[in-house]
Amino acid sequence: MADAAPVLRAAGLRKSYRSGDATLEVLRGLDLAVAPGESVSIRGESGSGKSTLLNLLAGLDRPDAGELLWGNEPTAQLALGALTARRGRFLGMVFQAYYLIPEIDALANVLMGARMIGPPGKAERERAAALLKRVGLAERGHHTPAHLSGGERQRVAVARALMNRPKVILADEPTGNLDERTGDEVIHLLLEVCAEEQAALVLVTHNAAHAAKTRRQLFLHQGQWRA
Ligand SMILES: Nc1ncnc2c1ncn2[C@@H]1O[C@H](COP(=O)(O)OP(=O)(O)OP(=O)(O)O)[C@@H](O)[C@H]1O
Ligand SMILES: [Mg+2]
């Protein structure tokens, strides 16, 4: 399995931001290869470019230079519509701020993952319910986010991210808004369900204990990997 083709591959990623005359070089030629089902954590000081990198890996933003492949597919040639459609099937995201839709209940939020692809049918509704049960929220399906705790909201977000059986989950400080114990529980769950679903996990975190639970630990420093 060590030689399995990467499920996610970035080579020479560069990203700068311009403000007035100044240019901020955030990513200075980053390589990353993630094996199928692998878990990788990324740490680095605030402003080191972790979220910038995750947004590039997700195809939410384009690099200034470098290559990004989802599976064997180069993403640079994909037009925005094709990229968005492909993303919906290929990867799921979890953010610090949950980003649930406040007006709809937990089950409907999980189903939103499927709606990115097309109108959900019976199979999708069953999968959403099963995922909600898997993350421990079988009884909370009809609660709106306002009636869920932070940890419960993040569990809904995890279920939503997994809805379309993605190959990769990108999580950007998923425990940043949670107390220590709840954060530990969410990380434990995230690692466990990603393994069950055979999704690779790229976890951005400031928490050393959480990072230590992933198979591989990376540090971002001044736009490059620190050895
Ligand atoms: N859209 C943008 N325009 C200009 N500068 C940006 C933009 N997005 C990020 N930056 C800058 O790029 C640098 C990296 O930001 P990024 O959000 O990737 O850091 P981070 O490692 O995720 O930090 P944190 O740990 O605080 O979340 C920061 O200096 C930030 O101010
Ligand atoms: Mg960030």
Side-chain angles (χ1 to χ4, degrees), residues 171-195:
D172 194 354
E173 295 191 47
T175 64
N177 284 355
L178 304 176
D179 66 54
E180 191 179 336
R181 205 192 68 170
T182 308
D184 291 351
E185 287 168 1
V186 164
I187 290 301
H188 182 77
L189 177 78
L190 187 58
L191 284 160
E192 218 171 54
V193 288
C194 283

Side-chain angles (χ1 to χ4, degrees), residues 46-47 49-52 96 172-173 204 206:
S46 185
K50 303 179 299 296
S51 296
T52 300
Q96 175 172 351
D172 194 354
E173 295 191 47
V204 166
H206 286 285

